[in-house]
Amino acid sequence: MNLKGRDFLTLKDFTPEEIQYMVDAAAYFKKKKKAGELVDIYKGKNVALIFEKTSTRTRCSFEVAAHDLGMGSTYLEPASSQIGKKESIADTARVLGSMFDGIEYRGFEQTIVEELAKYADVPVWNGLTNEYHPTQMLADLLTIQEIFGKDVKGLKLAYMGDARYNMANSLMILCTKMGMNFAAGAPKSYFPNDELVEICQGYAKESGGSILLTEDAAEAAKDADIIYTDVWVSMGEPDSAWVERIDDLKPYKVTKAVLENAGKNA
């Protein structure tokens, strides 16, 4: 399988076989690193790492990976670049594409990473946007397969919390692509958007997976093989979001229906 030159913007763009191929490659390189074997096969290559949202783990992951594979990396944060300010996204893509062999972007709207990919002549990788986090999904699937084996069909992953954004969106895509059962436990106003749910239902029909969206946390977690959560307030959101978000996602809020039913049956 040859994915050379492909952008990596969302898992929607890849088949289950291609996703597994990337995870297998990650497992191979991880094994080599643990064994102390050099795999610096990309000497002479360079990548640009654009971080409009700062990070510890994502930045270190990309920089260490680039170094281990023999590549140079240049870290660009808002304070040290003019991306989207004095220089347009399209111009940035053209300039960086002429200097680097790949571009990683971690930031805000999905439209930004898509515009980078449109105008850059080199592969662009999504390190996180508001809508998707596909690189995280490869790491998560690798972890799942290290525990349960490569055949993940039929496993249930339950996500708890705000299911409207990048993590739950990407987990739902991953699960339904790979034949897993995805469940989200959250208030209804925090469910993924209907359009993406419909798309993922199509993936699930092909793979044998399923989707469960419920306000009942106990139902979401029932028989789950993996339980997953994330921060309730994302980077870049206003401070005013904290009070409402915490109130809405408190455990007693999520399980309100369970408690009410318990009271009726007591």
Side-chain angles (χ1 to χ4, degrees):
M1 188 175 293
N2 186 359
L3 301 180
K4 185 176 180 179
R6 292 272 297 273
D7 295 317
F8 189 59
L9 309 182
T10 167
L11 287 184
K12 291 190 292 183
D13 299 332
F14 294 87
T15 66
E17 292 76 21
E18 289 171 333
I19 294 170
Q20 186 59 57
Y21 177 80
M22 288 186 279
V23 173
D24 288 343
Y28 169 81
F29 288 123
K30 181 176 180 178
K31 183 178 179 180
K32 290 289 186 181
K33 182 178 178 69
K34 283 194 169 186
E37 298 179 30
L38 288 177
V39 286
D40 51 348
I41 54 178
Y42 291 112
K43 281 185 176 180
K45 303 290 185 181
N46 292 279
V47 292
L49 308 178
I50 303 173
F51 276 66
E52 289 193 303
K53 284 186 178 181
T54 56
S55 167
T56 301
R57 289 179 296 272
T58 304
R59 175 183 176 178
C60 291
S61 295
F62 272 96
E63 288 191 339
V64 170
H67 179 271
D68 285 352
L69 292 171
M71 291 184 280
S73 64
T74 299
Y75 176 72
L76 299 170
E77 60 181 344
S80 61
S81 72
Q82 298 296 332
I83 297 168
K85 292 174 282 188
K86 293 183 180 180
E87 300 171 6
S88 69
I89 300 300
D91 185 55
T92 297
R94 294 188 186 99
V95 171
L96 294 183
S98 70
M99 298 179 182
F100 293 91
D101 301 286
I103 301 170
E104 180 269 350
Y105 173 83
R106 175 186 169 93
F108 297 94
E109 289 79 13
Q110 180 72 10
T111 53
I112 297 175
V113 74
E114 290 175 354
E115 188 172 3
L116 281 171
K118 179 179 179 180
Y119 291 101
D121 291 329
V122 296
V124 173
W125 311 298
N126 181 355
L128 175 140
T129 60
N130 293 341
E131 295 88 349
Y132 303 110
H133 199 354
T135 50
Q136 177 69 54
M137 295 304 101
L138 296 184
D140 290 339
L141 183 56
L142 175 60
T143 300
I144 291 168
Q145 292 188 350
E146 286 177 337
I147 295 170
F148 294 97
K150 287 184 65 172
D151 185 6
V152 298
K153 286 183 179 291
L155 292 180
K156 180 179 179 181
L157 184 147
Y159 179 88
M160 303 294 181
D162 190 343
R164 298 173 296 174
Y165 300 122
N166 45 38
M167 289 306 301
N169 287 345
S170 296
L171 286 165
M172 183 167 62
I173 295 169
L174 174 71
C175 288
T176 53
K177 284 265 187 179
M178 304 307 292
M180 297 171 62
N181 301 310
F182 174 80
K188 191 171 184 180
S189 58
Y190 290 83
F191 285 178
N193 74 71
D194 293 340
E195 181 181 357
L196 183 60
V197 171
E198 185 176 353
I199 291 171
C200 289
Q201 284 173 336
Y203 299 151
K205 187 176 181 180
E206 293 180 8
S207 70
S210 68
I211 298 172
L212 170 65
L213 306 178
T214 177
E215 295 185 277
D216 183 344
E219 182 183 15
K222 184 180 180 183
D223 298 324
D225 299 287
I226 306 109
I227 296 179
Y228 202 118
T229 190
D230 192 22
V231 294
W232 288 356
V233 181
S234 297
M235 190 183 301
E237 292 193 87
D239 291 343
S240 58
W242 281 88
V243 174
E244 179 183 25
R245 197 70 50 77
I246 291 172
D247 186 56
D248 286 345
L249 294 175
K250 281 179 182 176
Y252 79 85
K253 284 276 188 179
V254 179
T255 60
K256 183 178 178 182
V258 175
L259 296 175
E260 288 178 346
N261 288 331
K264 291 176 183 177
N265 297 326

